[in-house]
Amino acid sequence: MLEDLGKFFVFALVYIIGYGVTVKALVFPGFDHPVMSFFWSILFRPYFEMLGDPDLEGIGAAHLDDCSETPWPYETCPVDNTRITAVAIGFKALFMFFTHVLLLNLLIAIFNNRYQEVERESETLWKYNMYIVVKEYEER
């Protein structure tokens, strides 16, 4: 079961990193941030978005009046381009849809498959133990 869960986490991590890199490249072109800011925008922000925090201000969807005072880790302003913002919001919508619908269903399917395997094995063991009991009863 942990093997299946590990495969799911690797798949989800690749999915999160792919989305994070895409939005980071669209909204914050160039790399002039500290390392933690880089990891924040590629790993942690998509993780929190996966849990339901859309953070539309972080990608420039809401107009930031004074962008110089943006909270850490956004040390620069998002790109002020309506088309790029619309594409980033589209990616965010797809990311949240696929995360909530497909990844959740994939996790359910993985555990359902494991449950059926355990059930089949337990049924075989039950039949074997029943055979032993009947054979013992018959020999007496």
Side-chain angles (χ1 to χ4, degrees):
M1 180 157 66
L2 288 177
E3 179 181 327
D4 293 335
L5 193 58
K7 289 178 186 176
F8 174 77
F9 280 137
V10 167
F11 180 76
L13 186 65
V14 168
Y15 180 68
I16 287 172
I17 289 173
Y19 166 74
V21 168
T22 303
V23 171
K24 171 80 171 159
L26 279 173
V27 178
F28 299 101
F31 179 67
D32 58 348
H33 304 296
V35 175
M36 280 308 293
S37 175
F38 183 72
F39 283 117
W40 172 266
S41 61
I42 288 182
L43 290 175
F44 297 123
R45 185 165 25 125
Y47 173 73
F48 289 122
E49 289 173 4
M50 184 174 68
L51 297 177
D53 179 22
D55 187 29
L56 294 176
E57 294 87 16
I59 62 169
H63 182 66
L64 298 174
D65 294 329
D66 186 14
C67 194
S68 63
E69 295 184 19
T70 56
W72 185 87
Y74 309 114
E75 297 179 5
T76 60
C77 297
V79 173
D80 191 19
N81 186 337
T82 307
R83 184 185 305 154
I84 290 176
T85 301
V87 170
I89 290 173
F91 279 131
K92 183 179 294 291
L94 287 174
F95 174 75
M96 293 180 86
F97 173 75
F98 283 122
T99 299
H100 291 126
V101 174
L102 295 180
L103 284 181
L104 184 62
N105 284 334
L106 177 65
L107 185 64
I108 291 169
I110 287 172
F111 282 119
N112 187 28
N113 186 31
R114 179 57 70 175
Y115 176 79
Q116 288 175 353
E117 288 176 13
V118 168
E119 188 177 24
R120 262 185 265 126
E121 190 175 317
S122 68
E123 187 175 334
T124 304
L125 284 172
W126 179 83
K127 287 178 182 178
Y128 177 73
N129 286 332
M130 191 66 176
Y131 167 76
I132 296 294
V133 168
V134 169
K135 185 176 177 184
E136 182 181 324
Y137 180 75
E138 198 175 75
E139 288 177 356
R140 284 185 178 191

